[in-house]
Amino acid sequence: MYSKSKSTTRAVALPQNTGPQTTVLMRGLTVLVLGAALVLGQAIAANARAPDSFADLAQTISPSVVNITTSTTVAASTGGTPQVPEGSPFEDFFKEFLDRNGNGGNTPRRSEALGSGFVISEDGFIVTNNHVIDKADEIEIEFFSGKKLSAKLIGTDPKTDIALLKVESDTPLPFVPFGNSDLMRVGDWVIAMGNPLGQGFSVSAGIISARGRALSGTYDDYLQTDAAINRGNSGGPLFNMDGQVIGVNTAILSPTGGSIGIGFSMASNVVTKVVEQLKEFGETRRGWLGVRIQDVTPDVAEAMSLASAKGALITDVPDGPAKDAGMMSGDVITSFDGADVADTRELVRRVADAPVGEAVRVIVLRDGKTETLSVTLGRRETAEGEPVPAVATAPADVPSADVLGLTIQPLTPEIAKELGLPDGTEGLAVLAVDEASEAFAKGLRVGDVITEAGQQKVMRVKDLQDRVAEATSAGRKSLLLLVRRAGDPRFVALGIEN
């Protein structure tokens, strides 16, 4: 046990003989420990207790939350009408049903959808989800007071599912500020507001259940909450207890279509950057590095003799900013613009947030040494969709061989054509994969092309066999392969026998 004086802490051994004085001392210490535990328990209970009411907060922030109704013209159906036998008793019924709106029911019609949003400035800027207003011809905003105004679309970002609207009002509008989503902790109380299932303004409360969730987008950074979110809540705000927006309610996970307590809100620190660009440019302008990357897994780290499985491994460097700066396939990006890079997801977000046209410092690990490069970023929106150039032809008429559970053969123009590969692609074509092998378990399949082994190009079967022998003699447990499938590269580490 430990006894504390005013200025020191010392260890006190319990005596073997417990006389009356020792018994009294131990009872006193027990009372002190129990008293401290009681105080700590009361403090935890006080902190965990729910607020007595959310009413004051809800009353304050409600005027800034809006309902959104969109109208869309749906084109006439191009499909044929149901066919019934001539003279059938149902012939007149179908004719009447299909002709009720004229032209056999094939006229354009109006479709309405409901969603939520919130005002972020007194001059009428409103944030919602892109999917709420997608393809809308008309957008109507209903305020908490019942006032209705038409909105115009300023800009959208489908990648984060964010849209920015604008209304014109004769009077300043009540609005809410964004908060810092990075400060939110799992267990913090939150309030969701919106228009669930078209029922009008509604409030639900819950906690942050998880942070940093990714669904399917490149820039996903969702806060997960158990506050009830349903259809119609899309685009509505998720508030902290200070009345700041720390997320935009976007999606739910549900087998029924209704809330089961797993909702997702796009983090405000992502949303604010998008909104700023939409307000200034009407579109997003994200930084572009110009590399293809993958996470550094433990087996890849071992194959590359890396100290830890961190960073973003470059699998390809097409023409662009990274190539101009001297980056190479096989480099591991460990730092970007002064901040450490843990994985590819983190790098993608940081590059996207960096200013287009400005030079940033990037640190890469290459052949066991660090290299510092200066990269002038391009714009991702401009670069997307540009084809990635392929490379040249391998020698023909070389027999196939079995290596690492793969049957391989140098890629010929004929094989490349059969595989649907671009002209000039080089490497070793995978003709068969042993289904009991590690290669099959890690996803290699017939039609893949191995372009590098041990971070060196391979064009002949002997090239791969030599890389395996070198790794074996060096005592490595695995060999790193660069594999392309339909032009997309990725690194795969396969175990080798020593």
Side-chain angles (χ1 to χ4, degrees):
M1 298 182 66
Y2 290 88
S3 173
K4 289 188 178 180
S5 66
K6 291 183 179 179
S7 58
T8 61
T9 301
R10 60 189 178 88
V12 179
L14 290 174
Q16 297 300 318
N17 271 326
T18 55
Q21 291 181 345
T22 306
T23 302
V24 171
L25 175 62
M26 291 180 65
R27 285 175 180 171
L29 289 173
T30 302
V31 171
L32 287 174
V33 171
L34 290 175
L38 179 60
V39 171
L40 179 61
Q42 290 173 340
I44 293 174
N47 289 332
R49 188 165 53 243
D52 293 335
S53 174
F54 296 101
D56 290 341
L57 178 58
Q59 185 176 6
T60 302
I61 58 183
S62 289
S64 64
V65 182
V66 300
N67 293 340
I68 299 177
T69 303
T70 64
S71 298
T72 307
T73 302
V74 180
S77 173
T78 57
T81 59
Q83 299 295 313
V84 295
E86 187 175 352
S88 166
F90 295 104
E91 184 178 9
D92 291 339
F93 169 79
F94 276 106
K95 188 173 189 287
E96 179 184 354
F97 177 79
L98 295 172
D99 289 345
R100 187 170 298 162
N101 293 318
N103 297 323
N106 287 335
T107 57
R109 58 185 176 85
R110 301 292 291 172
S111 174
E112 290 191 348
L114 302 174
S116 306
F118 55 99
V119 184
I120 61 169
S121 65
E122 65 177 13
D123 58 345
F125 281 102
I126 295 172
V127 172
T128 186
N129 279 144
N130 175 60
H131 76 259
V132 170
I133 53 82
D134 189 34
K135 300 178 182 178
D137 300 323
E138 298 176 4
I139 304 172
E140 184 180 71
I141 306 298
E142 180 186 1
F143 294 86
F144 187 72
S145 63
K147 180 180 180 179
K148 295 182 179 180
L149 292 174
S150 296
K152 69 175 181 178
L153 179 62
I154 300 300
T156 66
D157 179 32
K159 292 187 181 298
T160 56
D161 199 10
I162 295 299
L164 183 65
L165 310 176
K166 180 75 163 61
V167 296
E168 300 297 334
S169 174
D170 296 334
T171 58
L173 296 173
F175 66 95
V176 284
F178 283 105
N180 186 350
S181 56
D182 287 346
L183 299 180
M184 298 303 294
R185 301 176 303 163
V186 172
D188 281 344
W189 285 100
V190 289
I191 287 181
M193 298 189 72
N195 179 24
L197 303 174
Q199 296 301 303
F201 291 92
S202 180
V203 178
S204 59
I207 62 169
I208 297 294
S209 304
R211 291 174 43 89
R213 293 296 200 205
L215 299 182
S216 59
T218 306
Y219 308 105
D220 284 2
D221 186 13
Y222 285 103
L223 299 173
Q224 181 185 325
T225 180
D226 65 351
I229 297 174
N230 288 283
R231 293 174 182 173
N233 273 115
S234 290
L238 188 71
F239 290 102
N240 61 18
M241 292 297 97
D242 294 323
Q244 300 170 328
V245 178
I246 46 86
V248 178
N249 301 325
T250 302
I252 60 174
L253 183 62
S254 172
T256 64
S259 174
I260 60 169
I262 306 179
F264 301 95
S265 295
M266 181 62 73
S268 61
N269 285 5
V270 174
V271 178
T272 51
K273 296 181 177 69
V274 171
V275 168
E276 287 170 4
Q277 292 190 345
L278 294 180
K279 187 182 293 187
E280 183 176 358
F281 307 114
E283 60 185 0
T284 56
R285 297 187 178 182
R286 293 188 170 94
W288 177 59
L289 187 58
V291 292
R292 290 181 174 179
I293 52 177
Q294 71 178 63
D295 286 330
V296 179
T297 58
D299 56 350
V300 168
E302 194 280 331
M304 298 181 69
S305 300
L306 302 178
S308 60
K310 296 181 180 178
L313 175 58
I314 299 177
T315 63
D316 197 17
V317 189
D319 292 338
K323 187 173 184 179
D324 293 341
M327 285 191 186
M328 302 170 60
S329 174
D331 286 350
V332 177
I333 299 176
T334 59
S335 175
F336 179 86
D337 201 17
D340 291 342
V341 172
D343 52 30
T344 57
R345 190 166 161 234
E346 185 175 347
L347 177 63
V348 168
R349 287 206 302 268
R350 285 186 179 160
V351 172
D353 291 342
V356 175
E358 291 192 13
V360 295
R361 187 168 61 96
V362 182
I363 298 176
V364 302
L365 191 61
R366 180 185 299 168
D367 298 328
K369 300 178 181 178
T370 58
E371 299 269 352
T372 301
L373 307 172
S374 178
V375 185
T376 301
L377 299 178
R379 183 183 172 197
R380 184 180 181 92
E381 290 82 359
T382 302
E384 281 181 337
E386 293 183 357
V388 178
V391 278
T393 312
D397 300 320
V398 179
S400 63
D402 294 331
V403 183
L404 300 176
L406 303 168
T407 301
I408 55 173
Q409 177 181 325
L411 193 63
T412 63
E414 293 76 21
I415 295 175
K417 185 176 180 180
E418 289 179 9
L419 296 177
L421 299 173
D423 292 339
T425 305
E426 68 177 4
L428 299 172
V430 176
L431 305 181
V433 185
D434 182 355
E435 294 189 8
S437 68
E438 181 187 5
F440 186 86
K442 290 192 173 180
L444 272 74
R445 297 294 183 267
V446 173
D448 288 345
V449 176
I450 302 170
T451 59
E452 290 184 12
Q455 295 184 273
Q456 299 181 52
K457 289 186 177 180
V458 289
M459 297 176 64
R460 305 172 301 165
V461 171
K462 187 176 184 303
D463 293 337
L464 180 57
Q465 292 170 332
D466 288 346
R467 300 295 86 77
V468 171
E470 290 169 4
T472 301
S473 61
R476 292 185 185 143
K477 297 179 181 179
S478 57
L479 178 66
L480 194 67
L481 306 181
L482 180 57
V483 181
R484 290 181 181 270
R485 178 177 299 169
D488 292 329
R490 68 184 179 106
F491 281 102
V492 179
L494 295 184
I496 52 179
E497 296 180 1
N498 291 313

